[in-house]
Amino acid sequence: MSHLENPTSGANPPTDGLPLTGRKMVSWKEIASHLGREIRTVQRWEKTEGLPIRRHEHQKKSTVYAYTGELDEWFKRREPADDPEADAAFVPEPDAASISEPDVDTLSEEANGGAVAPVAAIVPDAEREVHSSVEPDQPPPNIKRRVALGVTAFAILCIIAFAVYKLIPTKPLLPEKVRLVVLPFKNLSGDPKQDYFSAGLTDEMITRLGSLDPRRLGVIAAASSNAQSGKPLKEIGRALDVQYALEGSVRREGNQVRIDVHLIQVSDQTDLWADSYSRDLTDILLVQDEVGAAVASQIRTALATTIVMSSSKFANHSVNAEAYDAYLSGRFYWTNRGDLHKSIQAYQQAIQKDPQYALAYAGLAGSYALLGQVPYDDMSPLEAKPKARAAAEHALQLDPLLGEAHAVLANVAFSYDWNFDVAEQEFQRALALSPNNPTPHLWFSHYCIVRNRLPQALEENSRLLEIEPVSPLFNTNRAEIYYHARNYDGAITTASRAIEQYPNYWLAYIWLGSALREKKMYKEALEQFSKGRTLSGDHPVMISLYGHALGLSGDAAGARKALNELQNLAQSRYVSSLYFAAVYTGLGENRTALDWLDRAYTERNDRLVYLGSEPMADPLRSDPRFARLLAKIGVH
């Protein structure tokens, strides 16, 4: 009844029975190059961060090797921080694979003031333990003196090297992931009705750039970009933690479009590149490709990689101008969640103009999926979800690599079909194809709630917030996860922060009020639900939550009034049976609540799958009817 959408430091990892994955690298230089760092840094990571380096001891020489698969997994899990000062103070070891055999001994002697390195420095640890019980012979006094002088000289050299490092300007280390924000393109047409076109074009550009190199280039999604629009660039850089910004403007006259763009380095607000494109609307995809290629070229050094502009989704081809215009209109209404019916109408118009338009089918699928689920539920799931599935499947027939369509199939599979195995497969496909698209991450975090994988839900939300740091929807999603984890204080803090930044965002009041209610702070909860009712225009979900809280607080008359309001609304629009069940649960009328839950099951309501972790359902858990309902849905 919810309502929304290491190894130890310096140790080598054990290898017995584990497959060795990836390419074998046999030198510090090769390992450092693979990780994009200096040799000194990766050697320090081995000692302090547990970097999985393997060693082979042979004839007084220790050679290193590693496997790319292990390094990539370690880097993804550990996310080590760069530390220039620690690197400067760290004394690196020679790369044995890059020097000759005699040079190893020579370096050993020089590091010890001309003396040969002690046995303990070159024998493996296991052998060292065997010899440690034997009292070594005392070296002659002249050897002692030479060793002492060598150690002193080496220490002095280290101090000098560190001082030089601090005094001489060095090139700043690049961030592990370069981040870019595409600020909303300005509409210079003079017609406010064209705002959807510039907004949709911005969104398309975000998608295009976000698919270039998701591992090394993070592109801020549309909601956070829009929220920061108009602010000083330095403030945007701090708020979104970005190194680059792409600004642009659009002037459209009929099917002729002029786009001006320039790329800015945020740190010093330097213009790195600028260009203008005057094209027919049918060539708009070519323009997007050219802009993407130019941006990639300008920041290629920072990315330390070569980007290839190739994808079936972004193939260079012309589009039907009228279809593309309608598609951008649909995308505008989808992104803002302002009117999903208008979004559906626009996507349908795009399909009429171009029946082979795969992206329009994917957009149509997403709109139907939302329209048939809480809290956007203005259409019965029995009607909306099959339409969503059909549109997504058709989109994939036209283009099997559309991550958006796979995400819709995953949504339908877990929220309507209750087929969790298929949902998991489709989510993994969607996330692989569209790693910078926030929607698959959002829906997958909900799926993890349903499967009671709440720590993973938080991890997915963290990835989501990398893409959309200041989105009210995605911060609210985090509050919802805390609520299901019974961390009510965390939910209150997170939802309150979202409301502070976006006081008119009514979905945040759901989780703030719900967390307060579970802490039995009924007066405070009712205040938040009341604000939510006002801001949402008395949406059925807010009436239901308000009535449920009234019932728990002892105001039975107020709760029954809420039931009457829901009944009246049901005369003119779809109202989920789940909302009636919630109010009856608050009144303590569990048998009637279960009757309404059975109706919700018949409706295939999407929120039934959340009952396994939903705190509101706790008074029903001891009832065998409730247990049978969960079993039929497939949740526990």
Side-chain angles (χ1 to χ4, degrees), residues 197 200-201 204 281 284-285 288 319-329 350 357:
F197 185 84
L201 195 59
E204 281 280 276
L281 190 55
I284 193 67
L285 297 186
Q288 293 176 13
V319 295
N320 181 296
E322 293 181 341
Y324 184 76
D325 183 79
Y327 168 74
L328 289 189
S329 177
Y357 204 165

Side-chain angles (χ1 to χ4, degrees), residues 361-492:
Y361 278 104
L364 181 65
S367 294
Y368 273 127
L370 279 188
L371 200 59
Q373 67 189 46
V374 177
Y376 309 102
D377 47 358
D378 199 18
M379 183 181 290
S380 168
L382 289 171
E383 180 182 359
K385 294 288 185 171
K387 289 182 178 180
R389 176 168 46 216
E393 288 174 345
H394 195 83
L396 291 174
Q397 290 174 7
L398 297 170
D399 185 351
L401 299 181
L402 278 182
E404 296 95 326
H406 284 286
V408 172
L409 290 183
N411 177 298
V412 173
F414 93 87
S415 68
Y416 181 79
D417 296 330
W418 304 325
N419 188 330
F420 302 112
D421 291 338
V422 169
E424 182 88 34
Q425 295 170 7
E426 291 293 345
F427 271 128
Q428 294 307 322
R429 185 70 170 146
L431 292 168
L433 290 169
S434 303
N436 211 67
N437 185 341
T439 299
H441 291 281
L442 175 65
W443 288 348
F444 186 56
S445 74
H446 281 274
Y447 172 81
C448 290
I449 294 174
V450 169
R451 303 308 290 159
N452 200 27
R453 287 150 46 179
L454 297 172
Q456 188 177 359
L458 282 175
E459 290 176 7
E460 200 61 34
N461 177 262
S462 295
R463 295 187 184 97
L464 192 59
L465 291 174
E466 287 182 8
I467 303 170
E468 286 277 31
V470 297
S471 163
L473 174 60
F474 305 149
N475 280 280
T476 298
N477 169 239
R478 195 168 189 85
E480 178 181 4
I481 297 168
Y482 284 137
Y483 167 79
H484 278 273
R486 315 288 173 122
N487 180 358
Y488 302 125
D489 290 335
I492 290 169

Side-chain angles (χ1 to χ4, degrees), residues 219-297:
V219 182
I220 302 300
S224 294
S225 172
N226 292 334
Q228 298 297 310
S229 179
K231 296 181 180 179
L233 198 55
K234 284 190 175 181
E235 184 177 338
I236 294 174
R238 287 193 300 269
L240 302 180
D241 188 24
V242 293
Q243 291 78 47
Y244 299 93
L246 185 70
E247 292 185 337
S249 62
V250 182
R251 187 187 300 275
R252 180 186 178 190
E253 294 181 3
N255 283 344
Q256 293 298 310
V257 181
R258 177 184 173 87
I259 301 175
D260 296 302
V261 288
H262 62 284
L263 181 68
I264 306 168
Q265 185 167 280
V266 174
S267 60
D268 54 8
Q269 302 188 42
T270 301
D271 280 342
L272 299 178
W273 163 81
D275 209 341
S276 297
Y277 304 84
S278 295
R279 301 285 176 83
D280 189 271
L281 190 55
T282 57
D283 295 326
I284 193 67
L285 297 186
L286 291 172
V287 174
Q288 293 176 13
D289 272 347
E290 291 175 18
V291 173
V295 170
S297 176

